[in-house]
Coordinates of all heavy atoms in Angstrom, one line a residue:
M1 N 0.9 -1.2 0.0 CA 0.0 0.0 0.0 C 0.9 1.2 0.0 O 1.7 1.4 0.9 CB -0.9 0.0 1.2 CG -1.8 1.2 1.3 SD -2.8 1.2 2.8 CE -3.7 -0.3 2.7
P2 N 0.8 2.1 -1.0 CA 1.7 3.3 -1.1 C 1.3 4.3 0.0 O 0.1 4.5 0.3 CB 1.4 3.8 -2.5 CG 0.8 2.7 -3.2 CD 0.1 1.9 -2.3
C3 N 2.3 4.9 0.6 CA 2.0 5.9 1.6 C 3.1 7.0 1.5 O 4.3 6.7 1.5 CB 2.1 5.3 3.0 SG 1.8 6.6 4.3
L4 N 2.7 8.2 1.3 CA 3.7 9.3 1.2 C 3.9 9.8 2.6 O 3.0 10.3 3.2 CB 3.2 10.4 0.3 CG 4.0 11.7 0.3 CD1 5.4 11.4 -0.2 CD2 3.3 12.8 -0.5
Q5 N 5.1 9.7 3.1 CA 5.5 10.2 4.4 C 6.3 11.5 4.1 O 7.5 11.4 3.8 CB 6.4 9.2 5.2 CG 7.1 9.7 6.4 CD 6.2 10.4 7.4 OE1 5.1 10.1 7.5 NE2 6.8 11.4 8.1
R6 N 5.6 12.6 4.2 CA 6.3 13.8 3.9 C 6.4 14.6 5.1 O 5.4 15.0 5.7 CB 5.5 14.6 2.8 CG 6.2 15.9 2.4 CD 5.4 16.6 1.3 NE 6.1 17.7 0.9 CZ 6.5 18.8 1.6 NH1 6.3 18.8 2.9 NH2 7.1 19.8 1.0
S7 N 7.6 14.9 5.5 CA 7.9 15.6 6.7 C 8.9 16.7 6.5 O 10.0 16.5 6.1 CB 8.4 14.7 7.8 OG 8.6 15.3 9.0
S8 N 8.4 18.0 6.5 CA 9.3 19.1 6.2 C 9.4 20.1 7.3 O 8.4 20.7 7.6 CB 8.8 19.7 4.9 OG 9.5 20.9 4.6
P9 N 10.5 20.2 7.9 CA 11.7 19.5 7.7 C 11.7 18.2 8.6 O 10.9 18.1 9.5 CB 12.8 20.4 8.2 CG 12.1 21.2 9.3 CD 10.7 21.3 8.9
G10 N 12.6 17.3 8.3 CA 12.8 16.2 9.2 C 12.3 14.8 8.8 O 12.3 13.9 9.7
G11 N 11.9 14.6 7.6 CA 11.5 13.2 7.2 C 12.6 12.2 7.2 O 12.4 11.0 7.2
T12 N 13.9 12.8 7.2 CA 15.0 11.9 7.2 C 15.6 11.7 8.5 O 16.6 10.9 8.7 CB 16.1 12.4 6.2 OG1 16.5 13.8 6.6 CG2 15.6 12.5 4.8
T13 N 15.1 12.3 9.6 CA 15.6 12.2 10.9 C 14.4 12.2 11.9 O 13.3 12.5 11.6 CB 16.5 13.4 11.3 OG1 15.8 14.6 11.3 CG2 17.7 13.4 10.4
G14 N 14.7 11.8 13.2 CA 13.8 12.0 14.3 C 12.4 11.2 14.1 O 12.4 10.1 13.5
I15 N 11.4 11.9 14.5 CA 10.0 11.3 14.5 C 9.6 11.0 13.1 O 9.0 10.0 12.8 CB 9.0 12.2 15.2 CG1 9.4 12.2 16.7 CG2 7.6 11.8 15.0 CD1 8.6 13.2 17.5
G16 N 9.9 11.9 12.1 CA 9.5 11.7 10.7 C 10.1 10.4 10.2 O 9.4 9.6 9.5
R17 N 11.4 10.2 10.5 CA 12.0 9.0 10.0 C 11.5 7.8 10.7 O 11.3 6.7 10.1 CB 13.6 9.1 10.2 CG 14.3 7.9 9.7 CD 15.7 8.1 9.6 NE 16.4 6.8 9.4 CZ 17.6 6.6 9.1 NH1 18.4 7.7 8.9 NH2 18.1 5.4 9.0
A18 N 11.3 7.9 12.0 CA 10.8 6.7 12.7 C 9.4 6.4 12.2 O 9.1 5.2 12.1 CB 10.7 7.1 14.2
T19 N 8.6 7.4 11.9 CA 7.3 7.1 11.3 C 7.4 6.4 10.0 O 6.7 5.4 9.7 CB 6.5 8.4 11.2 OG1 6.3 9.0 12.4 CG2 5.1 8.1 10.6
A20 N 8.3 6.8 9.1 CA 8.5 6.2 7.8 C 9.0 4.8 8.0 O 8.5 3.9 7.3 CB 9.6 7.0 7.1
E21 N 9.9 4.5 9.0 CA 10.4 3.1 9.2 C 9.2 2.3 9.7 O 9.1 1.1 9.2 CB 11.5 3.2 10.2 CG 12.8 3.8 9.7 CD 13.8 4.0 10.8 OE1 13.5 4.0 12.0 OE2 15.0 4.2 10.4
L22 N 8.4 2.8 10.6 CA 7.2 2.0 11.0 C 6.3 1.7 9.9 O 5.8 0.5 9.8 CB 6.5 2.8 12.1 CG 5.2 2.1 12.7 CD1 5.6 0.8 13.4 CD2 4.5 3.1 13.6
L23 N 5.9 2.7 9.1 CA 5.0 2.4 8.0 C 5.6 1.4 7.0 O 4.9 0.5 6.5 CB 4.7 3.8 7.3 CG 3.8 4.7 8.1 CD1 3.7 6.1 7.4 CD2 2.4 4.1 8.3
H24 N 6.9 1.6 6.7 CA 7.6 0.6 5.8 C 7.5 -0.8 6.4 O 7.2 -1.7 5.6 CB 9.0 1.1 5.5 CG 9.7 0.2 4.6 ND1 10.4 -0.9 4.9 CD2 9.8 0.2 3.2 CE1 10.9 -1.5 3.9 NE2 10.5 -0.8 2.8
A25 N 7.8 -0.9 7.7 CA 7.7 -2.2 8.3 C 6.3 -2.9 8.2 O 6.2 -4.1 8.2 CB 8.2 -2.1 9.7
R26 N 5.3 -2.0 8.2 CA 3.9 -2.5 8.1 C 3.5 -2.7 6.6 O 2.3 -2.9 6.4 CB 3.0 -1.5 8.8 CG 3.2 -1.6 10.3 CD 2.3 -0.7 11.0 NE 2.5 -0.8 12.4 CZ 1.8 -0.2 13.4 NH1 0.8 0.6 13.0 NH2 2.1 -0.3 14.6
G27 N 4.4 -2.6 5.7 CA 4.1 -2.9 4.3 C 3.7 -1.7 3.4 O 3.4 -1.9 2.2
Y28 N 3.9 -0.5 3.9 CA 3.6 0.6 3.1 C 4.8 1.0 2.2 O 5.9 0.8 2.6 CB 3.2 1.9 3.9 CG 1.9 1.8 4.6 CD1 1.7 1.2 5.8 CD2 0.8 2.4 4.0 CE1 0.5 1.1 6.5 CE2 -0.5 2.3 4.6 CZ -0.6 1.7 5.9 OH -1.8 1.6 6.5
Q29 N 4.5 1.5 1.0 CA 5.5 2.1 0.2 C 5.6 3.6 0.7 O 4.7 4.3 0.8 CB 5.0 2.2 -1.3 CG 6.0 2.7 -2.2 CD 5.6 2.6 -3.7 OE1 4.5 2.1 -4.0 NE2 6.3 3.2 -4.5
V30 N 6.9 4.0 1.0 CA 7.1 5.2 1.7 C 8.1 6.1 1.0 O 9.0 5.6 0.4 CB 7.7 4.9 3.1 CG1 8.0 6.2 3.9 CG2 6.7 4.0 3.9
A31 N 7.8 7.4 1.0 CA 8.8 8.4 0.6 C 9.0 9.4 1.7 O 8.1 9.7 2.4 CB 8.2 9.1 -0.7
V32 N 10.3 9.8 1.9 CA 10.6 10.8 2.9 C 11.3 12.0 2.2 O 12.0 11.8 1.2 CB 11.4 10.2 4.0 CG1 10.7 9.2 4.8 CG2 12.8 9.7 3.5
T33 N 11.2 13.1 2.8 CA 11.9 14.3 2.3 C 12.7 14.9 3.5 O 12.4 14.7 4.7 CB 11.0 15.4 1.8 OG1 10.2 15.9 2.9 CG2 10.1 14.9 0.7
G34 N 13.7 15.6 3.1 CA 14.5 16.4 4.1 C 15.3 17.5 3.3 O 15.4 17.4 2.1
Q35 N 15.7 18.4 4.1 CA 16.5 19.6 3.5 C 18.0 19.5 3.6 O 18.7 20.0 2.8 CB 16.0 20.9 4.1 CG 14.5 21.2 3.8 CD 14.1 22.5 4.5 OE1 14.9 23.4 4.6 NE2 12.9 22.5 5.1
N36 N 18.4 18.8 4.7 CA 19.9 18.8 5.0 C 20.5 17.7 4.1 O 20.2 16.5 4.2 CB 20.0 18.4 6.5 CG 21.5 18.4 6.9 OD1 22.3 17.7 6.3 ND2 21.8 19.1 7.9
P37 N 21.5 18.1 3.3 CA 22.1 17.1 2.4 C 22.7 15.9 3.1 O 22.7 14.8 2.6 CB 23.1 17.9 1.6 CG 22.7 19.3 1.7 CD 22.0 19.4 3.0
E38 N 23.3 16.2 4.3 CA 23.9 15.1 5.1 C 22.9 14.1 5.6 O 23.1 12.9 5.5 CB 24.7 15.6 6.2 CG 25.9 16.4 5.8 CD 26.7 17.1 6.9 OE1 26.3 16.9 8.1 OE2 27.6 17.8 6.7
S39 N 21.8 14.6 6.1 CA 20.8 13.6 6.6 C 20.0 12.9 5.5 O 19.7 11.8 5.6 CB 19.8 14.3 7.5 OG 19.0 15.3 6.8
V40 N 19.9 13.6 4.3 CA 19.3 13.0 3.2 C 20.2 11.8 2.7 O 19.7 10.7 2.4 CB 19.0 14.0 2.0 CG1 18.6 13.3 0.7 CG2 17.9 15.0 2.5
S41 N 21.5 12.1 2.6 CA 22.4 11.1 2.2 C 22.5 9.9 3.1 O 22.5 8.7 2.7 CB 23.8 11.7 2.1 OG 24.8 10.7 1.7
R42 N 22.5 10.2 4.4 CA 22.5 9.1 5.4 C 21.2 8.3 5.3 O 21.2 7.1 5.4 CB 22.6 9.8 6.8 CG 22.9 8.8 7.9 CD 23.3 9.4 9.3 NE 22.6 10.7 9.6 CZ 23.2 11.9 9.5 NH1 24.4 12.0 9.0 NH2 22.5 13.0 9.8
A43 N 20.0 9.0 5.2 CA 18.8 8.2 5.0 C 18.8 7.3 3.8 O 18.3 6.2 3.8 CB 17.6 9.2 5.0
R44 N 19.4 7.8 2.7 CA 19.4 7.0 1.5 C 20.3 5.7 1.7 O 19.9 4.7 1.2 CB 20.0 7.8 0.3 CG 19.1 8.8 -0.3 CD 19.6 9.4 -1.6 NE 18.7 10.3 -2.1 CZ 18.9 11.6 -2.4 NH1 20.1 12.1 -2.3 NH2 17.9 12.3 -2.9
S45 N 21.3 5.9 2.5 CA 22.2 4.7 2.7 C 21.6 3.8 3.8 O 21.9 2.6 3.8 CB 23.6 5.1 3.0 OG 23.7 5.8 4.3
E46 N 20.9 4.3 4.8 CA 20.4 3.5 5.9 C 19.0 2.9 5.8 O 18.7 1.8 6.3 CB 20.5 4.3 7.2 CG 21.9 4.7 7.5 CD 22.0 5.6 8.7 OE1 21.0 6.1 9.2 OE2 23.2 5.9 9.2
L47 N 18.1 3.6 5.1 CA 16.8 3.1 4.9 C 16.7 2.0 3.8 O 17.6 2.0 2.9 CB 15.8 4.3 4.5 CG 15.5 5.3 5.6 CD1 14.8 6.5 5.1 CD2 14.8 4.6 6.8
P48 N 15.7 1.2 3.8 CA 15.6 0.1 2.8 C 15.6 0.8 1.4 O 15.1 1.9 1.2 CB 14.3 -0.5 3.1 CG 14.1 -0.3 4.6 CD 14.7 1.1 4.8
G49 N 16.1 0.0 0.4 CA 16.3 0.6 -0.9 C 15.0 1.0 -1.6 O 15.0 1.8 -2.5
D50 N 13.9 0.4 -1.2 CA 12.6 0.8 -1.8 C 11.9 2.0 -1.2 O 10.9 2.5 -1.6 CB 11.6 -0.4 -1.9 CG 11.2 -0.9 -0.5 OD1 12.0 -0.7 0.5 OD2 10.1 -1.4 -0.3
V51 N 12.6 2.6 -0.2 CA 12.1 3.9 0.4 C 12.6 5.0 -0.5 O 13.9 5.2 -0.7 CB 12.5 4.1 1.9 CG1 12.1 5.5 2.4 CG2 11.9 3.0 2.7
L52 N 11.8 5.8 -1.0 CA 12.2 7.0 -1.8 C 12.6 8.1 -0.9 O 11.8 8.5 0.0 CB 11.0 7.5 -2.7 CG 11.2 8.7 -3.5 CD1 12.3 8.5 -4.6 CD2 9.9 9.1 -4.2
V53 N 13.8 8.6 -1.0 CA 14.4 9.7 -0.2 C 14.7 10.8 -1.2 O 15.5 10.7 -2.1 CB 15.6 9.3 0.5 CG1 16.2 10.4 1.4 CG2 15.4 8.0 1.4
V54 N 14.0 12.0 -0.9 CA 14.2 13.1 -1.8 C 14.6 14.4 -1.0 O 14.0 14.7 0.0 CB 12.8 13.4 -2.5 CG1 12.9 14.6 -3.4 CG2 12.4 12.2 -3.3
R55 N 15.6 15.1 -1.5 CA 16.0 16.4 -0.9 C 14.9 17.4 -1.4 O 14.8 17.6 -2.6 CB 17.4 16.8 -1.4 CG 18.0 17.7 -0.3 CD 18.4 19.1 -0.6 NE 17.7 19.9 -1.6 CZ 16.8 20.9 -1.3 NH1 16.4 21.1 -0.1 NH2 16.3 21.6 -2.3
S56 N 14.2 18.0 -0.5 CA 13.1 18.8 -0.9 C 12.8 19.8 0.2 O 12.8 19.5 1.4 CB 11.9 18.0 -1.2 OG 10.8 18.8 -1.6
D57 N 12.6 21.1 -0.2 CA 12.2 22.1 0.8 C 10.7 22.4 0.5 O 10.4 22.9 -0.6 CB 13.0 23.3 0.6 CG 12.7 24.5 1.6 OD1 11.6 24.5 2.1 OD2 13.6 25.3 1.8
G58 N 9.8 22.1 1.4 CA 8.4 22.3 1.1 C 8.0 23.8 0.9 O 6.9 24.1 0.5
R59 N 8.9 24.7 1.2 CA 8.6 26.1 1.0 C 8.9 26.6 -0.5 O 8.6 27.7 -0.8 CB 9.4 27.0 1.9 CG 9.1 26.7 3.4 CD 10.1 27.4 4.3 NE 11.4 26.7 4.1 CZ 12.5 27.1 4.7 NH1 12.5 28.1 5.5 NH2 13.6 26.4 4.4
V60 N 9.5 25.7 -1.2 CA 10.0 26.0 -2.6 C 9.1 25.2 -3.6 O 9.1 24.0 -3.6 CB 11.5 25.7 -2.8 CG1 11.9 26.0 -4.2 CG2 12.3 26.4 -1.7
L61 N 8.3 25.9 -4.4 CA 7.4 25.3 -5.3 C 8.1 24.3 -6.2 O 7.6 23.2 -6.4 CB 6.6 26.4 -6.0 CG 5.5 25.8 -7.0 CD1 4.5 25.0 -6.2 CD2 4.8 27.0 -7.7
S62 N 9.2 24.7 -6.8 CA 9.9 23.8 -7.7 C 10.4 22.5 -7.0 O 10.4 21.4 -7.6 CB 11.1 24.5 -8.4 OG 12.0 24.9 -7.4
D63 N 10.7 22.6 -5.7 CA 11.1 21.4 -5.0 C 9.9 20.5 -4.8 O 9.9 19.3 -4.9 CB 11.6 21.7 -3.6 CG 13.1 22.2 -3.6 OD1 13.7 22.3 -4.7 OD2 13.7 22.3 -2.5
T64 N 8.7 21.1 -4.5 CA 7.5 20.3 -4.3 C 7.1 19.7 -5.6 O 6.7 18.5 -5.6 CB 6.4 21.3 -3.8 OG1 6.8 21.8 -2.5 CG2 5.1 20.5 -3.6
E65 N 7.2 20.4 -6.7 CA 6.9 19.8 -8.0 C 7.8 18.6 -8.4 O 7.3 17.6 -8.8 CB 7.0 20.9 -9.1 CG 5.9 21.9 -9.0 CD 6.1 23.1 -9.9 OE1 7.2 23.4 -10.4 OE2 5.1 23.8 -10.1
A66 N 9.1 18.8 -8.1 CA 10.1 17.7 -8.3 C 9.7 16.5 -7.4 O 9.8 15.3 -7.9 CB 11.5 18.2 -8.1
L67 N 9.3 16.8 -6.2 CA 8.9 15.7 -5.3 C 7.7 14.9 -5.8 O 7.7 13.7 -5.9 CB 8.6 16.2 -3.9 CG 8.0 15.3 -2.9 CD1 8.9 14.1 -2.6 CD2 7.5 16.0 -1.7
M68 N 6.7 15.7 -6.3 CA 5.5 15.0 -6.8 C 5.8 14.2 -8.1 O 5.3 13.1 -8.3 CB 4.5 16.1 -7.1 CG 3.9 16.7 -5.8 SD 3.0 15.6 -4.7 CE 4.2 15.0 -3.6
S69 N 6.8 14.7 -8.9 CA 7.2 13.9 -10.1 C 7.9 12.6 -9.7 O 7.6 11.6 -10.2 CB 8.1 14.8 -10.9 OG 7.5 15.8 -11.5
A70 N 8.7 12.7 -8.7 CA 9.4 11.5 -8.2 C 8.5 10.5 -7.6 O 8.6 9.3 -7.9 CB 10.5 11.9 -7.2
V71 N 7.5 11.0 -6.8 CA 6.5 10.1 -6.2 C 5.6 9.5 -7.3 O 5.3 8.3 -7.3 CB 5.7 10.9 -5.2 CG1 4.4 10.2 -4.8 CG2 6.5 11.2 -4.0
S72 N 5.2 10.3 -8.2 CA 4.3 9.8 -9.3 C 5.0 8.8 -10.1 O 4.3 7.9 -10.7 CB 3.8 11.0 -10.2 OG 3.0 11.9 -9.4
A73 N 6.3 8.9 -10.3 CA 7.0 7.9 -11.1 C 7.0 6.5 -10.4 O 7.1 5.5 -11.1 CB 8.4 8.4 -11.3
R74 N 6.9 6.5 -9.1 CA 6.9 5.3 -8.3 C 5.5 4.6 -8.3 O 5.4 3.4 -8.2 CB 7.3 5.6 -6.9 CG 8.8 5.9 -6.7 CD 9.5 4.6 -6.3 NE 10.9 4.8 -6.2 CZ 11.6 4.5 -5.1 NH1 11.0 4.0 -4.1 NH2 12.9 4.8 -5.1
S75 N 4.5 5.4 -8.2 CA 3.1 4.9 -8.0 C 2.1 6.0 -8.4 O 2.4 7.2 -8.2 CB 2.9 4.5 -6.6 OG 1.6 4.0 -6.4
D76 N 1.0 5.5 -9.0 CA 0.0 6.5 -9.4 C -1.1 6.7 -8.2 O -2.0 7.4 -8.4 CB -0.7 6.1 -10.7 CG -1.4 4.8 -10.6 OD1 -1.2 4.1 -9.6 OD2 -2.1 4.4 -11.6
R77 N -0.8 6.0 -7.1 CA -1.8 6.0 -6.0 C -1.1 6.0 -4.7 O -0.4 5.1 -4.3 CB -2.7 4.8 -6.1 CG -3.8 4.9 -5.1 CD -4.9 3.8 -5.3 NE -5.8 3.9 -4.2 CZ -6.3 2.8 -3.6 NH1 -6.1 1.7 -4.1 NH2 -7.1 3.0 -2.6
W78 N -1.3 7.1 -4.0 CA -0.8 7.3 -2.6 C -1.9 7.5 -1.7 O -2.8 8.2 -2.0 CB 0.2 8.4 -2.5 CG 1.4 8.2 -3.3 CD1 1.6 8.4 -4.7 CD2 2.7 7.7 -2.9 NE1 2.8 8.0 -5.1 CE2 3.5 7.6 -4.0 CE3 3.1 7.3 -1.6 CZ2 4.8 7.1 -3.9 CZ3 4.5 6.8 -1.5 CH2 5.3 6.7 -2.7
T79 N -2.0 6.7 -0.6 CA -3.1 6.7 0.2 C -3.1 7.6 1.5 O -4.1 7.8 2.1 CB -3.4 5.3 0.7 OG1 -2.3 4.7 1.4 CG2 -3.8 4.4 -0.5
C80 N -1.9 8.1 1.9 CA -1.9 8.9 3.0 C -0.7 9.9 3.0 O 0.2 9.7 2.2 CB -1.8 8.1 4.3 SG -0.4 7.1 4.5
S81 N -0.7 10.9 3.7 CA 0.3 11.9 3.8 C 0.5 12.4 5.2 O -0.5 12.6 5.9 CB 0.0 13.1 2.9 OG 1.0 14.1 3.0
S82 N 1.7 12.6 5.6 CA 2.0 13.1 6.9 C 2.9 14.3 6.8 O 3.9 14.3 6.0 CB 2.7 12.0 7.7 OG 3.1 12.5 9.0
S83 N 2.7 15.3 7.5 CA 3.5 16.5 7.4 C 3.8 17.1 8.8 O 3.0 16.9 9.7 CB 2.7 17.6 6.6 OG 3.5 18.8 6.5
T84 N 4.9 17.7 9.0 CA 5.3 18.3 10.3 C 4.3 19.4 10.6 O 4.2 20.4 9.8 CB 6.7 18.8 10.2 OG1 7.6 17.7 10.0 CG2 7.1 19.4 11.5
P85 N 3.7 19.5 11.8 CA 2.9 20.6 12.2 C 3.6 21.9 12.2 O 4.8 21.9 12.5 CB 2.4 20.2 13.5 CG 2.6 18.7 13.7 CD 3.8 18.4 12.8
G86 N 3.0 23.0 11.9 CA 3.6 24.3 12.0 C 4.3 24.7 10.8 O 4.9 25.8 10.7
S87 N 4.3 23.9 9.8 CA 5.0 24.2 8.5 C 4.0 24.4 7.4 O 3.2 23.6 7.0 CB 5.9 22.9 8.1 OG 6.4 23.2 6.8
S88 N 3.9 25.7 7.0 CA 3.0 26.0 6.0 C 3.5 27.1 5.1 O 4.3 27.9 5.5 CB 1.6 26.5 6.5 OG 1.8 27.7 7.2
V89 N 3.2 27.1 3.8 CA 3.7 28.0 2.9 C 2.6 28.4 1.9 O 1.7 27.6 1.6 CB 4.8 27.3 2.0 CG1 5.4 28.3 1.0 CG2 5.9 26.8 2.9
R90 N 2.6 29.6 1.5 CA 1.6 30.1 0.5 C 2.3 30.3 -0.8 O 3.4 30.9 -0.8 CB 1.0 31.4 1.0 CG 0.2 31.3 2.3 CD -0.2 32.6 2.7 NE -1.6 32.8 2.1 CZ -2.3 33.9 2.3 NH1 -1.8 34.9 2.9 NH2 -3.5 34.0 1.7
H91 N 1.8 29.8 -1.8 CA 2.2 30.0 -3.2 C 1.1 30.6 -4.0 O 0.0 30.1 -3.9 CB 2.7 28.6 -3.8 CG 3.9 28.1 -3.2 ND1 5.1 28.6 -3.4 CD2 4.1 27.0 -2.4 CE1 6.0 27.9 -2.7 NE2 5.4 26.9 -2.1
R92 N 1.4 31.6 -4.8 CA 0.4 32.1 -5.7 C 0.4 31.3 -7.0 O 1.4 31.1 -7.6 CB 0.8 33.6 -6.0 CG -0.4 34.2 -6.8 CD -0.2 35.7 -6.8 NE -0.3 36.1 -5.4 CZ -0.9 37.3 -5.1 NH1 -1.4 38.0 -6.0 NH2 -1.0 37.6 -3.8
L93 N -0.7 30.7 -7.3 CA -0.8 29.9 -8.5 C -1.2 30.7 -9.7 O -1.9 31.7 -9.5 CB -1.9 28.8 -8.3 CG -1.6 27.8 -7.1 CD1 -2.8 26.9 -6.9 CD2 -0.4 27.1 -7.3
P94 N -0.7 30.4 -10.8 CA -1.0 31.2 -12.0 C -2.5 31.0 -12.3 O -3.1 30.0 -12.1 CB -0.2 30.5 -13.1 CG 0.3 29.3 -12.6 CD 0.2 29.3 -11.1
R95 N -3.1 32.1 -12.9 CA -4.5 32.0 -13.2 C -4.7 31.4 -14.6 O -4.0 31.5 -15.5 CB -5.1 33.4 -13.2 CG -5.1 33.9 -11.8 CD -5.6 35.3 -11.8 NE -5.4 35.8 -10.4 CZ -6.4 36.3 -9.7 NH1 -7.6 36.4 -10.1 NH2 -6.1 36.7 -8.5

């Protein structure tokens, strides 16, 4: 069952990573994001190979678009999303 675990910041460390590991252990397809290149690299080497790890800043629209492209390439159906509380960004969409 695909599950997008998106935690900005911190999907590659701490509670976000622990949540991703738990969901993966329960059979979910998981993707995590992080901003710190070192923690992203560490997560790529330490998490199971089928966990998608993407360097992404949720405040940057182009990063979010790249994340969605990477996720969509893995699966056309994601059933849940998790995000760090207190993180929100406004983007003006073209008309």
Side-chain angles (χ1 to χ4, degrees):
M1 179 181 303
C3 179
L4 172 61
Q5 165 57 28
R6 185 178 182 300
S7 182
S8 176
T12 57
T13 61
I15 292 172
R17 179 166 166 169
T19 302
E21 291 171 343
L22 177 65
L23 290 171
H24 183 268
R26 291 185 178 179
Y28 288 87
Q29 183 177 354
V30 178
V32 297
T33 67
Q35 296 179 39
N36 181 307
E38 292 174 6
S39 65
V40 169
S41 178
R42 191 169 36 256
R44 282 188 181 130
S45 68
E46 295 174 355
L47 289 171
D50 62 334
V51 173
L52 176 63
V53 180
V54 179
R55 208 245 25 106
S56 180
D57 183 339
R59 300 168 295 179
V60 178
L61 184 57
S62 60
D63 280 7
T64 302
E65 291 170 341
L67 170 64
M68 292 296 91
S69 291
V71 165
S72 296
R74 289 264 179 125
S75 178
D76 61 352
R77 183 169 174 218
W78 293 82
T79 57
C80 64
S81 176
S82 175
S83 182
T84 300
S87 174
S88 66
V89 180
R90 296 177 92 181
H91 291 288
R92 188 166 295 220
L93 299 177
R95 293 178 188 236

